[in-house]
Amino acid sequence: MTEHPSYGDGIAVVTVTYFPGETLEKFLDTLEKATDRDVQVVVADNDSTDGAPEKAARRENVKLLSIGENVGYGTAANRGVAELDDSYGWVVVVNPDLEWEPGSLDALLEVAERWPRGGAFGPLIHDLDGTVYPSARLLPSFGRGIGHAAFGKVWPGNPWTRQYRQETGTPVERTAGWLSGSCQLIRREAFDSVDGFDTRYFMYFEDVDLGERLSRAGWLNVYAPSSSVMHIGGHSTSQASEKMLRAHHDSAYRYLADRHRGLLWKPVMLAVKAGLALRLKLETRKK
C-alpha cells in the first residue's frame, strides 16, 4: 500500500483519449459550466492521430500527456493522475465522450463533503434520450456474474441482471459495490491507498476491480444522483468493436479468476473460459 502525505483541495480532471474527435471539445466546453472552481485537465492520450488532443491542449487549463501507444484505459488514467502535483486532492477520471450538466461537478464535490470515508463518487449518468444508465452496481458475485453474462441480452429482465444493475426506481444517494468508470470523482488519498487502477485490465472491469479494492481498504463508493452528466458513449470503441469485445471477455475472465483460485475452482474456471470464448464467437459472427 502506498503511503503519501496529505494533499491539497485542488480539483483535476483526467480524461483518457483514443481518437476522441469533436466530442473532446464539447466535453471541455461543458466542463467550464460544471464548476465555479479552477480545474486542471490532463488529457492522457493513447496514440490518437485525429488531432483532437493537440487542439484541446491549446486551452490554458489543459495539459496533454502523449503516451505514444495504446496502453489501455486504466494504465493511461494512472499515468494522467501521476502528472498532478500534491495540491490536487481530488481527481475526476472520466471518458471524453461525456457532456457535463451545469453545476454537476460542484454537486459531486458537495456530496463528497458529506461522506468523509467516501473514496469514489459517481454522478447520475444518462444517455442522449434521457435514459438513466445503471452506473452504481453490486459487485458481480459468481452467480450474479454468470447469470447476467448468460441471460443479460436475451432476457434483460432476468433476476441476476436486475439485482446486479441495481435499478430500483428513483435514484437516491447511497453506497454501491462499484461505480461506472465513465465518470467518477476520486479522493486521491483513496486512489493512492490501492495503487490506482490495476494495469492488467486493458479495458473493462478496471472500474469494478477498483471499486472492490477501495471497499476492502475501508473506503466507500458513493452514488451521487444530485449530480448529472450525459454520456454519448462508444465513440472510440466503435472503431474496433471486435477488439473491444475480446477485451471485455478477457477482463471478465481475469476478474473472476483472480477471485476464485485453487484446485476446486479450476474446472469451473475452465468452463467459464470456454463459455466466454463461445459467446465471443457468436457475438462476432453477428457483425
Side-chain angles (χ1 to χ4, degrees), residues 87-282:
S87 66
Y88 296 100
W90 295 98
V91 183
V92 180
V93 177
V94 57
N95 288 0
D97 54 349
L98 178 145
E99 294 179 15
W100 298 87
E101 303 287 347
S104 52
L105 182 48
D106 280 340
L108 262 185
L109 290 163
E110 284 171 19
V111 173
E113 288 179 12
R114 296 199 287 272
W115 296 80
R117 291 303 299 169
F121 301 84
L124 181 148
I125 300 171
H126 64 86
D127 298 332
L128 275 166
D129 64 2
T131 303
V132 174
Y133 177 74
S135 57
R137 306 187 184 186
L138 291 176
L139 289 168
S141 68
F142 197 85
R144 270 197 302 270
I146 297 299
H148 171 64
F151 300 109
K153 291 202 172 181
V154 295
W155 178 20
N158 75 77
W160 302 283
T161 294
R162 279 192 288 112
Q163 187 184 29
Y164 171 56
R165 288 163 69 103
Q166 290 282 277
E167 295 171 291
T168 53
T170 305
V172 294
E173 188 172 307
R174 59 179 172 83
T175 58
W178 65 280
L179 303 164
S180 170
S182 58
C183 183
Q184 52 181 316
L185 170 69
I186 303 174
R187 193 184 301 269
R188 200 164 169 198
E189 180 189 351
F191 195 71
D192 275 1
S193 75
V194 296
D195 296 324
F197 288 105
D198 186 334
T199 58
R200 296 176 304 153
Y201 293 89
F202 179 77
M203 183 169 279
Y204 303 113
F205 276 82
E206 72 284 321
D207 46 7
V208 188
D209 174 80
L210 179 69
E212 180 172 351
R213 289 186 294 111
L214 285 172
S215 294
R216 285 182 181 175
W219 300 98
L220 299 172
N221 297 287
V222 181
Y223 182 45
S226 54
S227 171
S228 177
V229 299
M230 182 173 72
H231 191 202
I232 310 300
H235 183 83
S236 58
T237 57
S238 64
Q239 299 181 42
S241 57
E242 185 172 341
K243 184 181 178 183
M244 292 302 101
L245 269 173
R246 190 176 300 280
H248 185 274
H249 285 69
D250 288 348
S251 293
Y253 180 80
R254 180 180 298 285
Y255 180 85
L256 290 171
D258 276 356
R259 288 152 180 83
H260 300 90
R261 300 175 183 272
L263 286 174
L264 288 174
W265 281 104
K266 276 201 170 179
V268 179
M269 294 312 301
L270 282 171
V272 169
K273 180 174 273 191
L276 287 169
L278 176 61
R279 184 184 175 194
L280 179 64
K281 189 178 289 186
L282 292 171

Side-chain angles (χ1 to χ4, degrees), residues 24-133:
L24 184 56
E25 288 299 304
K26 192 72 173 175
F27 169 86
L28 293 168
D29 287 343
T30 56
L31 176 61
E32 291 179 7
K33 297 178 181 177
T35 178
D36 292 330
R37 297 176 59 172
D38 292 331
V39 178
Q40 172 67 53
V41 179
V42 177
V43 175
D45 183 63
N46 274 332
D47 204 23
S48 303
T49 56
D50 61 358
E54 288 79 9
K55 182 181 178 183
R58 296 176 198 152
R59 301 187 186 221
E60 190 177 342
N61 66 323
V62 176
K63 176 179 182 179
L64 174 59
L65 172 63
S66 296
I67 295 172
E69 59 178 317
N70 189 358
V71 295
Y73 190 82
T75 298
N78 285 352
R79 294 188 187 181
V81 174
E83 290 292 304
L84 301 168
D85 64 42
D86 292 352
S87 66
Y88 296 100
W90 295 98
V91 183
V92 180
V93 177
V94 57
N95 288 0
D97 54 349
L98 178 145
E99 294 179 15
W100 298 87
E101 303 287 347
S104 52
L105 182 48
D106 280 340
L108 262 185
L109 290 163
E110 284 171 19
V111 173
E113 288 179 12
R114 296 199 287 272
W115 296 80
R117 291 303 299 169
F121 301 84
L124 181 148
I125 300 171
H126 64 86
D127 298 332
L128 275 166
D129 64 2
T131 303
V132 174
Y133 177 74

